[in-house]
Amino acid sequence: MGRGERDIQQIDVRAPAMINVRAPAKINPFLSVRGRGEDGYHDLVSVMQSVSLYDLLQVELDRPLHRDQHPSWRGRMRLELHIIEDIESMEDMGQSSSSSLSNGLENLALQAALALGERTGVADRRYSLGVGAGPGNEFTPGAKTTIRLSKRIPIAGGMAGGSTDAAATLVALNRLWHCGLDVDELLDLAALLGSDVPFCVAGGTALATGRGTQIARVLCRGTFHWIVGTSADELSTATVYEAWDAKNRPATKEPDAVLAALSSGDPHALGRALGNDLQEVAFELRPELIGKREALLEAGVLGAVVSGSGPTMLGLAADAESAQRIADEVADLFAAVHVATSPAGGPELTR
Ligand code: C5P
């Protein structure tokens, strides 16, 4: 049991409660697109790993929830999402132009809260977002849950930033609201929210198949050191897959070399084996990424690849020192450069 879990169990269930969560980004050391299914989603074989680049979330309940509450009160939980520059300072960014992030239902974290609330009877979309209230349609609100989100992971950057926020919200509210869903139930709910959300609930290192929602944990020894170069312009996953459809043919390459490198903890072997079928498409949509990858290779990375559907670029270094040196060397080429390690875990809960 991690330190965070022990802390959570000490929360007094009768008191208003608050939980902080660190939600890690994900990378795909291997991503192979096998074809397009009838539902429009693509069949994947992908190796996913969580990395130490985190969004910070805080969920807070303003009053206790009682199991014996009158049924007419059930579902009357108010839900609010605030995009916060810094959880410590609590400065509300609202819809400021510096953030393209919605604090409405387009945001996957709010969708996750509503999905969990509706699944367990705690929330109901007629009341929870305030749309059911108004003149002639008054209601007595129940408790209020506030979600505060501080973004660190690039938005629409190919690192599952929105998905990890949704996963963190599911895991934290399952505790805060005492829903009692087990991991399998959370994973099922996660798959309804997005293809990467189940992996983000689990974290670690996994082989993902199907839409990406079927995940199996795989062995990874040691720690890998990454340079994460972000772009200012977002790239929509749907656009990248559409571009793949227009030109590309299903691939058959297997992830064996990546799995072997992860299990042996060998960064040199992993650097050689990195692969992403979406990279070519991302390069067509964002040609400037080609030069950025070249620059990472010239600076001495063991391998470089587009992260997920891009446009974030990943470089793998031999160790922590060379990761920092390379990050400094390529810093001017990217909107931001982070140094991160993998694997991280799933959402980390602390008081
Ligand atoms: O599942 P999610 O909503 O995150 O996917 C975003 C978009 O990415 C989908 O609407 C779809 O266009 C594309 N996608 C896909 N095949 C997958 C995963 C995502 O085509 N396996």
Side-chain angles (χ1 to χ4, degrees):
M1 183 186 289
R3 187 173 168 275
E5 281 199 38
R6 204 163 46 241
D7 286 347
I8 294 303
Q9 284 174 1
Q10 286 163 6
I11 288 176
D12 179 354
V13 297
R14 291 160 304 175
M18 181 190 285
I19 299 174
N20 287 295
V21 200
R22 288 206 307 175
K26 72 89 222 211
I27 57 173
N28 303 77
F30 180 87
L31 196 165
S32 169
V33 185
R34 303 310 219 210
R36 186 171 181 270
E38 284 182 0
D39 60 359
Y41 280 91
H42 293 74
D43 192 30
L44 307 178
V45 175
S46 170
V47 179
M48 306 175 97
Q49 197 161 52
S50 47
V51 290
S52 65
L53 178 61
Y54 301 95
D55 280 348
L56 304 176
L57 289 94
Q58 190 175 68
V59 293
E60 185 178 17
L61 187 57
D62 72 341
R63 73 189 81 164
L65 287 183
H66 297 295
R67 282 191 194 288
D68 56 356
Q69 239 165 26
H70 189 276
S72 67
W73 276 70
R74 290 188 69 76
R76 298 206 164 192
M77 174 77 71
R78 292 286 304 225
L79 292 173
E80 278 182 17
L81 173 66
H82 297 262
I83 313 296
I84 301 281
E85 173 76 64
D86 179 351
I87 291 275
E88 302 278 300
S89 76
M90 287 297 168
E91 191 192 333
D92 192 338
M93 289 175 76
Q95 293 287 333
S96 84
S97 58
S98 60
S99 170
S100 64
L101 212 57
S102 158
N103 63 355
L105 207 47
E106 302 83 42
N107 193 301
L108 220 47
L110 202 54
Q111 287 178 33
L114 194 59
L116 178 68
E118 294 200 317
R119 164 87 165 68
T120 56
V122 170
D124 181 313
R125 73 182 59 222
R126 281 172 302 168
Y127 302 115
S128 297
L129 307 171
V131 286
N137 190 18
E138 306 299 337
F139 69 91
T140 316
K144 183 171 89 171
T145 297
T146 306
I147 305 164
R148 299 182 186 92
L149 168 60
S150 248
K151 284 304 287 182
R152 297 286 179 274
I153 303 169
I155 297 165
M159 299 192 82
S163 302
T164 197
D165 298 341
T169 302
L170 282 182
V171 173
L173 291 184
N174 190 37
R175 288 287 182 91
L176 192 73
W177 292 344
H178 304 280
C179 298
L181 297 196
D182 64 26
V183 171
D184 286 338
E185 290 170 314
L186 283 179
L187 290 174
D188 285 348
L189 206 48
L192 301 175
L193 293 163
S195 306
D196 286 340
V197 186
F199 169 75
C200 292
V201 167
T205 310
L207 182 64
T209 52
R211 260 175 69 196
T213 56
Q214 289 161 34
I215 51 170
R217 203 167 277 283
V218 298
L219 179 61
C220 176
R221 287 192 177 86
T223 300
F224 294 92
H225 299 270
W226 301 91
I227 297 103
V228 179
T230 70
S231 292
D233 296 331
E234 303 173 5
L235 194 51
S236 122
T237 305
T239 305
V240 173
Y241 276 106
E242 272 166 31
W244 186 92
D245 286 337
K247 292 194 77 162
N248 290 277
R249 295 284 155 270
T252 53
K253 196 176 168 207
E254 298 293 357
D256 301 36
V258 166
L259 295 173
L262 290 170
S263 80
S264 64
D266 179 352
H268 295 268
L270 184 60
R272 284 192 298 274
L274 293 174
N276 179 357
D277 284 351
L278 296 177
Q279 174 164 280
E280 203 183 312
V281 187
F283 282 171
E284 276 166 24
L285 293 168
R286 294 289 157 78
E288 71 275 13
L289 294 177
I290 299 169
K292 293 180 181 184
R293 180 169 182 272
E294 286 302 318
L296 279 165
L297 291 169
E298 274 167 29
V301 293
L302 305 173
V305 74
V306 163
S307 177
S309 54
T312 303
M313 183 65 73
L314 301 170
L316 178 64
D319 51 44
E321 291 78 51
S322 49
Q324 192 55 61
R325 178 188 58 74
I326 294 166
D328 292 342
E329 208 169 304
V330 300
D332 290 347
L333 293 177
F334 294 96
V337 174
H338 307 277
V339 168
T341 57
S342 73
E348 291 173 28
L349 276 53
T350 55
R351 238 185 128 163

